[in-house]
Amino acid sequence: MIFSRHNFLRLTLLLLLLASSAIYAFAQQATPAAKPELIAAPEKRSAKVLFDEVQSYVNNKYAEFNKQNVAYSQKVEARTKQEQKDLAAKYAAVLQTRKSLKDADVYYLGMLHHLAGNADEALEAMRRYLAGPAKGENAQLARAVTVLYSTRKNLIPEAERAVEGYARNQPQNLPEWFGMEKLIAEASQKAKDYTGALKHAEQMLAVAKLVAAQKAVNAMRRDDMLFKAVSFIAEAYVQLNRRDEAISAVVELQKLALSIPSASLLRLTNIRLAGLDRSIDLKEIFNQAAPANAAPLPEIVATQWIDHTPVKLSELRGQVVLLDFWAPWCPPCRYTFPKLQRWHESYKDKGLVILGLTNYSGNINGVGATPGEELAYLRTFKKQNRLPYGFVIADSSVNDLNYGVFSIPMSFLIDRKGNVRFIALGAGEGEITALGKMIDKVMSEPVIQQTQTRAAVSPDRNAKN
């Protein structure tokens, strides 16, 4: 295994900000104190130089290992990280012997204590640093470290002051900010301060929405952040005996999942909603009025099209589109074929476009295959199963990620205005029946005039996007 390079400092801090109690317990293990002989030699380098050496220690060691073809093992990784902690503790001890430290030096002292796992010393150093004219990225990282360790000590007001300072200043790393708010929400919840937990959970959601809008993380991480935020909100409302508001918060997340769109987020949200009230109709969200102006949906990315002219979703406005995510090796996907055939035959002349989205998988029935061999297999598969609608084939999982599809089959029904009106989460009888009813409903809605219309189906041109 090749050791990867990364910004170890920020990754370490983010992991700690989002850490579980198990990771916290591990981090609390005592760090061996630097032995006197380790710091006996005079050390005159600046605080920044010492910190930079520690920060880059793991990356530099990994580079050495790669050159030496050292095999990866968990033991090697653990030893390397422990060596970094020991070095951080050594240099922190060096800085503490100096009679006076500049403001910037105090920051590096705090970060060395942080990397060494010395919680109390790191927090005290960051307090000193932030009491001065701290600004820029170093100040923001110092605030994140402050939140990390002050919440562990149940010093919630101090953590709140730090995150408020983070919100007022730049630069801002949104996942880092989210992690800070999450730590305070967790600490407030643990202290049974559910009003405080609600406040920071709502801020988690606000930051998560910024992350989604700016596409600052991948789809899986985005969905996880949104879901965690609303879960905290719902739990706080439940503890405050405001269950109706808890339900409303989760329903709003359902709407967001539909508009993003993300099948994964919708599935998670439905599970949370059912946990709050089993009598709730999880499909009610699809009966609500669609927005007048739909947000642009992720465009389809394709390497090959079979029995369909390459087309953009934006060019299909005015038609009803059903995106069916499937794979030939998926038994539940085959269960939906008769329904898809029937819907195509019933509505193909009334503006329904069905597109079956799949990916090259590198094999056919468990045997390795080239893309060319897979393409030929898919053409044959399509004919043998008498599937009359077009296939869209990608050479990556980009479409799955764009639509939050982490299991198949999944189907997205898009109306003539470009709104996602239904997401079928699998091939269960209830899902397929509900999808069929929604297709009937959406097809009966008025046709809107389009100035530009692409043909729904045309001969396969074997075109690439």
Side-chain angles (χ1 to χ4, degrees), residues 82-332:
Q82 185 60 53
E83 289 170 355
Q84 183 192 45
K85 290 182 69 175
D86 292 343
L87 187 62
K90 169 186 172 180
Y91 286 161
V94 167
L95 293 183
Q96 286 178 319
T97 65
R98 295 180 180 176
K99 293 182 179 180
S100 62
L101 293 176
K102 297 178 181 178
D103 290 330
D105 294 341
V106 175
Y107 165 78
Y108 293 118
L109 173 62
M111 294 309 295
L112 285 169
H113 279 308
H114 168 58
L115 290 177
N118 301 331
D120 291 344
E121 293 85 348
L123 181 57
E124 181 57 35
M126 290 316 184
R127 285 169 177 164
R128 289 170 56 195
Y129 174 65
L130 292 171
K135 61 181 180 180
E137 184 173 12
N138 286 355
Q140 294 292 68
L141 280 169
R143 293 182 177 104
V145 171
T146 298
V147 170
L148 174 64
Y149 294 120
S150 58
T151 51
R152 288 184 178 181
K153 296 170 71 69
N154 201 34
L155 301 173
I156 297 175
E158 181 173 5
E160 289 180 323
R161 289 192 295 273
V163 79
E164 287 165 4
Y166 193 98
R168 291 194 304 269
N169 290 278
Q170 294 290 338
Q172 293 171 349
N173 179 289
L174 294 179
E176 186 172 74
W177 186 1
F178 178 90
M180 295 164 71
E181 297 287 357
K182 178 175 178 288
L183 282 176
I184 302 175
E186 287 176 330
S188 300
Q189 191 178 71
K190 185 177 180 180
K192 300 189 184 305
D193 175 12
Y194 300 114
T195 299
L198 178 60
K199 171 186 172 183
H200 292 284
E202 288 175 337
Q203 190 60 39
M204 285 171 62
L205 180 58
V207 175
K209 287 181 176 179
L210 287 176
V211 167
Q214 297 179 19
K215 299 181 179 179
V217 298
N218 62 38
M220 186 177 295
R221 179 79 182 280
R222 173 205 66 202
D223 290 354
D224 181 64
M225 293 171 73
L226 289 166
F227 180 68
K228 281 181 177 175
V230 172
S231 292
F232 270 98
I233 290 172
E235 180 60 24
Y237 276 133
V238 168
Q239 294 297 332
L240 292 168
N241 294 317
R242 296 159 64 180
R243 184 172 293 273
D244 288 347
E245 289 169 275
I247 292 172
S248 295
V250 181
V251 168
E252 285 302 311
L253 188 59
Q254 267 192 322
K255 295 177 182 178
L256 184 58
L258 193 60
S259 65
I260 287 178
S262 171
S264 173
L265 183 58
L266 182 63
R267 183 192 293 278
L268 289 171
T269 304
N270 285 351
I271 292 171
R272 188 70 181 90
L273 196 56
L276 288 169
D277 187 344
R278 291 188 177 277
S279 68
I280 290 177
D281 180 3
L282 299 177
K283 298 289 190 293
E284 177 59 31
I285 187 70
F286 302 123
N287 295 324
Q288 299 185 11
N293 298 309
L297 293 172
E299 286 294 353
I300 297 170
V301 177
T303 301
Q304 293 285 348
W305 297 70
I306 300 178
D307 295 340
H308 201 290
T309 301
V311 66
K312 294 181 177 180
L313 280 180
S314 57
E315 297 171 333
L316 292 174
R317 289 287 180 96
Q319 296 174 278
V320 176
V321 180
L322 180 62
L323 301 181
D324 180 57
F325 287 79
W326 75 289
W329 46 260
C330 165

Side-chain angles (χ1 to χ4, degrees), residues 381-420:
F381 182 94
K382 190 174 187 297
K383 291 178 181 177
Q384 289 178 341
N385 287 277
R386 299 179 181 179
L387 301 176
Y389 50 86
F391 279 9
V392 182
I393 311 163
D395 60 3
S396 72
S397 59
V398 61
N399 293 317
D400 303 325
L401 291 173
N402 285 342
Y403 283 83
V405 174
F406 303 124
S407 63
I408 53 176
M410 292 280 180
S411 299
F412 295 74
L413 181 64
I414 305 167
D415 69 14
R416 301 180 195 275
K417 296 178 181 179
N419 294 297
V420 174

